[in-house]
Amino acid sequence: MLNPAWLKTFATLIDTGHFTKTADKLFMTQPGVSQHIKKLEQACGHPLIERHNKSFEITEAGKTVYQYALEMESQQQQMLQSLDQDDPFSGKLAVSCSGSLALRLYPHLLDLQCKHPQLVTHLEVAPQQKILAGVINGDVDIGLMTHQSSDPRVESVKIGDEPLCLMLPKMCQTETLTLAQLQAIGLIGHPDAEHYLSLYFSRCAEPDLATININQLPVTGYINQLSQILLPVAKGRGFTVLPQSALEAFSDKERIAVYPSKQTVIETLYLLTKRHRRLPARFDTIKHTLKQTLNDANRDK
């Protein structure tokens, strides 16, 4: 790579047409200017100027190098200007969250991108530990998790709530539930089933459900594709617990019954970012959309 200082000296020399004026403009000595030109010629392998006593003429190779020097200077100026233009509606931002959240959030993020085409959101569905790891290593700008991380490398703030629902086949709709009833229906397992079941049973304000050992529930099916977890429930093959947003996105929801627990079970959502990382202005744009979407969804319930 050609030394930028030599290129600047050469371009200034061509612009001024004089070694002394170049030295004055760049706060150099005249021998220093000559040394830069000599080193640049050696690096290029061609004479860049033809000297005639106190004057000179630029060579064809020199014209090429001069244009290159001007382009480098222009690119540098553009780069420096771009650093001062932190556009809140331009650039890329990576967001990672659960599948149910992705179903709820993606349409709104897509609407935002349609409004601001230069604002590109990369949305990745991932389990909790992968979300945390992504934020820590910098692959993810924003992570959405259902628990507040204690890892000192991240910052987490509450951004919204996620209602959980125990979903039954429509034919099994009931006002009360017992262990025997759930055992008769069977559980449709999925990657977050144990976590959601434990949370739901402990917070639904029903003593009979709170004492249930999850291991006592027979598993009548298992699937790890969020969009298909409710298919066996709709066909009467079992029950499961999922965020309400999963039901809203399900096409056959009329065949699903939501158990009316005595107390609505809410799982708090946290927004994670890497501690001490200075995020661009577009972060606030995406954060506002995420927060507004979650709040609007909860108001509609």
Side-chain angles (χ1 to χ4, degrees), residues 141-162:
D141 299 306
I142 296 176
L144 297 173
M145 294 178 55
T146 54
H147 66 268
Q148 192 167 20
S149 176
S150 59
D151 194 302
R153 294 169 292 180
V154 301
E155 293 182 354
S156 57
V157 295
K158 179 181 177 181
I159 191 173
D161 297 309
E162 180 86 305

Side-chain angles (χ1 to χ4, degrees), residues 3-27:
N3 189 312
W6 303 343
L7 289 170
K8 183 175 180 62
T9 301
F10 178 67
T12 305
L13 176 64
I14 301 304
D15 290 339
T16 62
H18 202 281
F19 277 84
T20 301
K21 290 181 180 179
T22 298
D24 291 341
K25 189 171 183 178
L26 297 179
F27 303 100

Side-chain angles (χ1 to χ4, degrees), residues 93-96 128 131-145 147-159 269-280 282-288 290:
L93 204 74
V95 179
S96 186
Q128 303 280 299
I131 294 173
L132 178 61
V135 171
I136 291 173
N137 63 32
D139 292 336
V140 174
D141 299 306
I142 296 176
L144 297 173
M145 294 178 55
H147 66 268
Q148 192 167 20
S149 176
S150 59
D151 194 302
R153 294 169 292 180
V154 301
E155 293 182 354
S156 57
V157 295
K158 179 181 177 181
I159 191 173
L269 297 173
Y270 295 93
L271 183 145
L272 272 68
T273 55
K274 190 172 184 179
R275 191 178 298 276
H276 305 310
R277 180 183 176 187
R278 186 174 181 179
L279 290 167
R282 57 186 177 272
F283 163 80
D284 289 325
T285 303
I286 299 296
K287 179 181 177 181
H288 175 75
L290 296 176

